[in-house]
Amino acid sequence: MLQSPPPSSIDIHLLPGRHVGPLQLLPHHAHPDTTVTFTGSTSSSSPSTISGGQPIPQFVLHDEANKVYVSDFASDDTLPRRVRHLFVNDERVFRTKVPTMEHLGETNFTLTADIMAYEVMSKVPLSWKQPQSVEFVYSGVSSDWSEGRSGVLSVEDIPNSPNSRINMQQPGFWNLVNKKFQPMKDSPPASIENVGLSQLTPNTFWHDEDNRKLYYKPPSELDISSTQVEAIVAANDIIAELKGVQNYEYKNVHFEHSTWFPDRGYAEAQTGAFFDCEYGVVNEYLCGKDDTYSLAPAGVIISDSRDVTFTNCTFSKIGGSGLSISDGSKNVAVRGSTFTDISAAGIVLGEVNDVFDKNVENWNENLMIEDNVLINFPVEYKGESQLFAGYVENATINHNLFQNATYSAITIGWGWGREASLRGNNKVNANKIVDILSDRCCDGGAIYTIGPQVGSEIKNNYILQNSTAAYPAGGNALYHDRGSGGFQDINNVIDGNWTHWFGTNDSSGPYGPGASCPNLDGEGGEHDCDIVIAKNYVHTAAGHDNPANNSTRIFDNDIMVIDGSPFVGDAKAIVDAAGPRV
């Protein structure tokens, strides 16, 4: 118990090294008159880490010819029964993965009438030793920007036939097939993960769940026959959680090693929101009704909390999203921190299921994301954005570096204009965004917005596209998708290979450009949903895409920089100032 009266501050210094999580702070830890600060080591070689992982026994040689090693932890009941995320010497190791047709041959997939299984013209699935751990991956199958997943339940032989039956885990498979938008129907998966030992390639592993042995094929440059390695499996979904608390600070703390098994499937709608209804249910809460969905859980969770700050922290080796801020949290700041090696989104602000809540006490608001580095992810759920903000009020995303995103760098808003969240005043300013859409394509952008957000702005950002792996024409730099409204896009520098430096789309409902952006009283001015485009510097051959029936106003003082010339004057000042200041 705290002394009476309580102290104004408590400083907790974390020793260098790994501290076993999860670290959970719940309402009974709330002390409104006391600021509690967790401070970690500033040593880069010996940081203070809160970890949701556990070391496993050393690898021993299993198959010399194929350079396969095994860690046997059958006798250790403290280690997890299932392993999805493995890290060796601080590097992520992936599960085995093989293209579907390479593994099964050019076979037909037939969906059973009850939507419980596939019948395939192949006996190969009968060779899967543990089909319940196999996962089908639908990269770009129902839509170019999504990456759905569904687990296998079991495999059956169909006698007197060349076919076998692959029973799928529910309700995930049902949701994939019957998505309200872009349903998968009877399409086969693009690839198959975690089939077995025979599919090991360098830097992959397979976990024999029945015998609790983990098989690992190291990359060619790592010789573990003569060098001891540290292998850690992520054992917990949560690394740290703050629920119903206030006045907490984290400085110089590393958050690492969480896992997430999407046991209910991952029927992605867009940017990580996925359909999550029970088998047989369509268009209800969490599967599309009013655009409500589930989101991947985060390793670090802030919910219903106030006045929480992260400074110079690191979020990495995470099997879901990195950090989420939800359930009416307010005055949360993330500064000078690094997000990397994350399976899903790095930062998730707000929710997608609270659109009709007019009680501002329940809103997620006054969120500050500044001077951070978000780089080289998502690495598993590649249709997610590096930063995703749902329905939020007064979120500020300033002076960050976003780089090497598999889909959009920043997504802000929700609802496609079908609903009016009444929230806005969001600012995306002075960020540096480099190379997006490396894996998923088309319906995304460096800065991507959905739905009306009155009083919002996108200013002084430097957006550069060098790589075009997934999208040959480069994608959209600034993209206001359906229902977006209330934005001012001013003084941005667009550079590189893009399809459009600016794009918009029609609203899917009554809200958006040319329509309405109501406030809390249900009222909205004539131009509240305009998108104002002014004085942007464009160093690309790409034009803009603006449907004629949108009320977006493109001003004639946009400045086109001549290809090949260096940035000068105001454009150079914007480029030089963009990104982290620390």
Side-chain angles (χ1 to χ4, degrees), residues 340-381:
T340 189
D341 193 10
I342 296 171
S343 289
I347 302 174
V348 178
L349 307 178
E351 301 149 61
V352 298
N353 300 334
D354 59 344
V355 63
F356 300 119
D357 193 340
K358 294 185 178 182
N359 183 353
V360 296
E361 286 300 310
N362 297 330
W363 288 6
N364 299 285
E365 61 179 345
N366 302 330
L367 310 177
M368 174 67 74
I369 311 298
E370 62 179 359
D371 297 308
N372 303 288
V373 173
L374 298 90
I375 188 168
N376 298 337
F377 70 90
V379 298
E380 190 173 3
Y381 305 98

Side-chain angles (χ1 to χ4, degrees), residues 494-516:
I494 314 299
D495 191 5
N497 185 19
W498 298 97
T499 306
H500 304 107
W501 70 263
F502 167 80
T504 63
N505 210 336
D506 301 329
S507 179
S508 294
Y511 308 108
S516 172

Side-chain angles (χ1 to χ4, degrees), residues 243-256:
K243 182 177 181 180
V245 300
Q246 64 188 95
N247 300 329
Y248 276 87
E249 297 182 357
Y250 292 87
K251 297 180 179 179
N252 306 316
V253 178
H254 287 227
F255 299 93
E256 296 182 347

Side-chain angles (χ1 to χ4, degrees), residues 19-100:
H19 303 266
V20 178
L23 172 61
Q24 293 179 294
L25 300 170
L26 303 176
H28 61 273
H29 298 115
H31 305 293
D33 299 320
T34 302
T35 298
V36 179
T37 303
F38 290 86
T39 303
S41 166
T42 58
S43 169
S44 60
S45 61
S46 186
S48 301
T49 300
I50 302 174
S51 170
Q54 292 178 261
I56 61 175
Q58 282 291 316
F59 289 106
V60 297
L61 187 63
H62 169 73
D63 179 348
E64 184 174 7
N66 291 301
K67 199 179 177 182
V68 173
Y69 295 80
V70 63
S71 174
D72 186 343
F73 43 92
S75 61
D76 190 344
D77 289 334
T78 67
L79 289 167
R81 294 282 171 176
R82 296 193 298 167
V83 175
R84 187 182 182 96
H85 298 104
L86 167 69
F87 305 90
V88 175
N89 289 354
D90 283 334
E91 297 293 331
R92 183 182 291 244
V93 181
F94 294 90
R95 303 195 303 175
T96 62
K97 185 173 186 176
V98 62
T100 301

Side-chain angles (χ1 to χ4, degrees), residues 497-574:
N497 185 19
W498 298 97
T499 306
H500 304 107
W501 70 263
F502 167 80
T504 63
N505 210 336
D506 301 329
S507 179
S508 294
Y511 308 108
S516 172
C517 277
N519 58 25
L520 269 174
D521 298 323
E523 300 173 353
E526 180 181 358
H527 292 296
D528 282 351
C529 256
D530 281 354
I531 301 174
V532 177
I533 312 297
K535 201 176 179 183
N536 294 286
Y537 299 83
V538 182
H539 188 210
T540 176
H544 62 76
D545 179 28
N546 182 39
N549 58 338
N550 271 356
S551 67
T552 306
R553 297 181 289 171
I554 299 182
F555 286 12
D556 61 4
N557 61 340
D558 285 314
I559 298 175
M560 185 72 70
V561 179
I562 298 173
D563 284 340
S565 67
F567 293 114
V568 296
D570 290 344
K572 183 177 186 303
I574 293 168

Side-chain angles (χ1 to χ4, degrees), residues 3 119 262 283 335 367 537 557:
Q3 67 189 49
E119 287 189 9
N283 196 28
R335 297 187 174 98
L367 310 177
Y537 299 83
N557 61 340

